[in-house]
Amino acid sequence: MDVRRVWRSSPGWMLAGYSLVLLLLLVYIRILGVVLGADSPLGAEPVAMLISAGLALLVWRRSRRAWRVLVALTVWMSFGLLFHSDLTTYNFPLFLACGAHVAILLSPAVRTHVARPVVPAPSRAPDGG
């Protein structure tokens, strides 16, 4: 599997990767966060993850509005994580996951997937009558 081809023209694989990173993030926060007694700076709960997964599904169905909301929420979470938490061994994978989410959502495959198709203007042919 060519990574460049997937990056440019396989939105299904990119959104599957988004969902996989989302699932890994949930497992990481739930298991390691409990073991370390750390509170997630993302405030990531299963409900928030389900909302993100639902928005990703809407993006797969070509919802441009869902894509915009998901990009805005992901960038907002990334900035919140960056400016309101320390760079610790617990938070570093959270930084990577948020960066991966932003990269996937802004990939050429996903952006062109949700882009509006260009419909040619109807021709103004003279009526034959």
Side-chain angles (χ1 to χ4, degrees):
M1 183 178 269
D2 186 21
V3 174
R4 282 179 282 179
R5 185 183 60 79
V6 170
W7 177 255
R8 294 190 185 281
S9 61
S10 295
W13 283 106
M14 296 302 290
L15 291 171
Y18 179 88
S19 299
L20 180 65
V21 172
L22 197 63
L23 181 66
L24 291 174
L25 185 63
L26 178 65
V27 169
Y28 177 78
I29 289 171
R30 284 300 189 185
I31 292 175
L32 198 59
V34 170
V35 169
L36 294 176
D39 187 26
S40 172
L42 293 178
E45 295 295 325
V47 173
M49 298 294 178
L50 285 174
I51 291 171
S52 295
L55 286 171
L57 180 64
L58 289 174
V59 169
W60 170 247
R61 298 194 55 162
R62 297 181 186 261
S63 172
R64 193 175 175 106
R65 185 175 296 158
W67 178 75
R68 287 178 181 157
V69 168
L70 199 55
V71 168
L73 288 175
T74 305
V75 169
W76 180 62
M77 281 190 342
S78 299
F79 280 125
L81 184 64
L82 185 65
F83 293 118
H84 295 293
S85 66
D86 302 338
L87 184 60
T88 62
T89 55
Y90 175 73
N91 287 339
F92 187 70
L94 300 177
F95 287 122
L96 293 179
C98 283
H101 279 160
V102 171
I104 288 170
L105 290 173
L106 296 179
S107 70
V110 176
R111 283 186 301 153
T112 57
H113 181 73
V114 297
R116 296 188 196 274
V118 177
V119 178
S123 64
R124 298 236 178 217
D127 291 337

